């Protein structure tokens, strides 16, 4: 089965939009690989020809987590220094740094947030090479940017972003591969594997039943998995309202470990590769503290945890695993929210386009 809306306690379907959009992810990934890749490669070639000296990444919310993924890719795959911008330095304080030959990548699903548009316009005026990565080629952000990548996700109606997140990850991966002259071949396995993961929704529903009454969650990872941990925490907070704290495994050991007990679950995103290896001492410490440890990762890691979800290993390059790792965590946020009698389609106090300035 694929992701499906679940009957709520009152007998009415809730979460239909989020369920539908999660289920669309394999098709979106295929569309990017078949239709979007040539345009992404073209943008990458034109930018590579200008030899940017470093990269600044600009985003908010879910897109900020996608931008963090791009930071790992750019630094690891290209050796190109990267930073995440603080937009208020430009929009509130009026700073105008010299950005000559700097690549500024702005990631936004809607491309409509005023601060993203203003900071990108200011970056271009300061000499930057500007690239917008959006789901809306007609957006104000795309209009003020020199280059644009359309993530081709199609309209997203649910307030929690799901398909636009995985689409942004894949588009950014293909862009970075284009910068380095690669063909993005490791991404070809993603649509079929995403379909297989969505078909395991019943496993996630079992996890959700275990944690529906959780008062707090901690989510941790290292390397390429860290953006996944941050995005999973955001999804859980915005849909189920459970306080979910995300930490790099290294940062977790520098103080926050003290709050870990055997009641509040700790979700560990364990990538199959160097990031997972770096996380191993953290997993050992968590088990030593008797933590209720949930592992999203390889089977041998799940076997040593309190609970978990086994991810495909071996055939998936570490740098593209985040496109898949988030899927069971999207499903978990959805199922926990349904189990708590809430509608994940319409989290309170949120709007699809957040107009920060």
């Amino acid at each position: 089965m694929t992701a499906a809306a679940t009957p709520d306690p009152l007998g009415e379907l809730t979460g239909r939009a989020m369920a539908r959009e999660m289920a669309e992810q394999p098709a979106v990934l295929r569309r990017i690989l078949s239709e979007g890749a040539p345009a992404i490669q073209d943008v990458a070639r034109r930018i590579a020809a200008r030899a940017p000296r470093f990269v600044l990444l600009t985003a908010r919310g879910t897109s900020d987590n996608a931008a963090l993924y791009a930071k790992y890719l750019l630094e690891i795959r290209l050796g190109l220094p990267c930073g995440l911008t603080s937009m208020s330095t430009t929009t509130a304080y009026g700073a105008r740094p010299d950005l000559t030959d700097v690549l500024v990548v702005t990631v936004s699903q809607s491309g409509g947030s005023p601060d993203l548009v203003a900071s990108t316009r200011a970056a271009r005026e300061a000499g930057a090479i500007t690239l917008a990565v959006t789901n809306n080629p007609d957006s104000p952000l795309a209009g003020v940017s020199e280059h644009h990548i359309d993530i081709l996700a199609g309209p997203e109606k649910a307030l929690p972003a799901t398909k636009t997140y995985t689409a942004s990850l894949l588009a950014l991966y293909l862009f970075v591969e284009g910068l380095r002259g690669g063909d993005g071949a490791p991404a070809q396995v993603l649509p079929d594997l995403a379909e297989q993961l969505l078909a395991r929704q019943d496993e996630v529903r079992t996890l959700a039943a275990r944690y529906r009454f959780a008062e707090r969650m901690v989510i941790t990872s290292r390397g390429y998995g860290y953006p996944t941990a941050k995005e999973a925490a955001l999804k859980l907070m915005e849909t189920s309202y459970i306080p979910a704290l995300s930490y790099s495994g290294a940062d977790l050991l520098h103080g926050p470990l003290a709050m870990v007990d055997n009641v509040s679950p700790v979700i560990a995103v364990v990538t199959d590769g160097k990031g997972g290896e770096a996380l191993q001492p953290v997993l050992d410490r968590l088990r030593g503290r008797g933590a209720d440890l949930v592992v999203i990762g390889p089977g041998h890691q799940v076997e040593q945890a309190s609970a978990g979800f086994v991810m495909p290993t071996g055939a998936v390059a570490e740098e593209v695993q985040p496109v898949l790792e988030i899927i069971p965590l999207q499903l978990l946020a959805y199922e926990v929210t349904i189990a708590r009698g809430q509608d994940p389609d319409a989290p309170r106090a949120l709007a699809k386009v957040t107009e920060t300035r």
Side-chain angles (χ1 to χ4, degrees):
M1 62 178 289
T2 55
T6 301
D8 70 11
L10 301 178
E12 299 177 355
L13 287 175
T14 58
R16 285 174 289 187
M18 185 177 178
R20 181 175 61 249
E21 288 160 6
M22 287 190 294
E24 289 174 10
Q25 289 177 108
V28 171
L29 297 177
R30 289 190 181 97
R31 184 158 61 244
I32 295 170
L33 290 168
S34 62
E35 300 175 22
I40 296 172
Q41 288 278 343
D42 181 60
V43 169
R45 279 194 298 269
R46 285 185 279 143
I47 291 176
R50 296 175 64 178
R53 54 195 174 96
F54 62 88
V55 182
L56 292 175
L57 296 148
T58 304
R60 296 284 192 202
T62 284
S63 294
D64 199 34
N65 299 326
L68 180 59
Y69 168 69
K71 183 177 188 294
Y72 277 91
L73 285 173
L74 287 159
E75 293 185 343
I76 295 169
R77 307 286 286 173
L78 269 71
L80 199 56
C82 298
L84 300 175
T85 63
S86 300
M87 279 174 278
S88 62
T89 61
T90 297
T91 60
Y93 291 94
R96 292 293 184 267
D98 179 5
L99 298 179
T100 304
D101 297 328
V102 174
L103 173 59
V104 173
V105 181
T106 307
V107 187
S108 171
Q109 299 148 39
S110 69
S113 185
D115 58 349
L116 293 170
V117 175
S119 64
T120 301
R121 181 187 293 111
R124 190 170 182 180
E125 292 170 353
I129 308 162
T130 53
L131 168 64
V133 180
T134 82
N135 196 36
N136 184 1
D138 299 319
S139 64
L141 178 60
V144 301
S145 299
E146 183 179 357
H147 303 280
H148 177 256
I149 288 175
D150 186 350
I151 65 172
L152 301 174
E156 191 171 55
K157 302 298 184 182
L159 287 178
T162 53
K163 65 178 182 175
T164 53
Y165 179 69
T166 49
S168 295
L169 296 188
L170 179 54
L172 288 163
Y173 169 75
L174 293 175
F175 170 67
V176 174
E177 285 299 287
L179 288 178
R180 64 191 293 270
D183 59 6
Q188 296 298 322
V189 300
L190 296 176
D192 288 347
L193 291 174
E195 208 159 55
Q196 294 169 24
L197 293 174
L198 287 162
R200 296 166 59 191
Q201 188 169 357
D202 286 346
E203 293 180 46
V204 180
R205 190 171 295 131
T206 300
L207 276 179
R210 178 185 176 107
Y211 297 115
R212 62 179 292 192
F213 297 115
E215 296 183 359
R216 179 186 69 203
M217 291 186 181
V218 174
I219 309 177
T220 188
S221 189
R222 291 203 68 182
Y224 286 114
Y226 181 43
T228 306
K230 290 175 67 66
E231 173 62 10
L234 178 60
K235 283 292 156 285
L236 282 161
M237 287 189 287
E238 69 182 352
T239 57
S240 69
Y241 318 139
I242 295 174
L245 307 173
S246 59
Y247 295 99
S248 157
D251 287 334
L252 184 63
L253 297 183
H254 282 267
L257 185 68
M259 71 177 174
V260 172
D261 54 31
N262 61 358
V263 177
S264 299
V266 178
I267 300 175
V269 180
V270 185
T271 59
D272 185 24
K274 293 182 179 179
E277 293 169 8
L279 191 64
Q280 188 60 53
V282 182
L283 300 176
D284 294 340
R285 290 285 298 277
L286 289 168
R287 281 192 289 265
R289 288 186 60 82
D292 185 354
L293 179 61
V294 184
V295 165
I296 309 298
H300 70 279
Q301 294 285 3
V302 172
E303 289 173 1
Q304 299 176 60
S306 307
F309 185 96
V310 177
M311 295 295 295
T313 58
V316 188
E318 183 178 5
E319 61 267 21
V320 295
Q321 288 177 34
V323 181
L324 301 175
E325 288 167 342
I326 192 58
I327 291 175
L329 292 161
Q330 291 172 344
L331 291 170
L332 181 65
Y334 172 87
E335 292 291 349
V336 166
T337 304
I338 294 293
R340 290 163 71 97
Q342 296 152 197
D343 185 357
D345 282 349
R348 63 194 181 207
L350 295 183
K352 192 63 182 171
V353 180
T354 304
E355 297 195 353
T356 48
R357 296 183 184 273

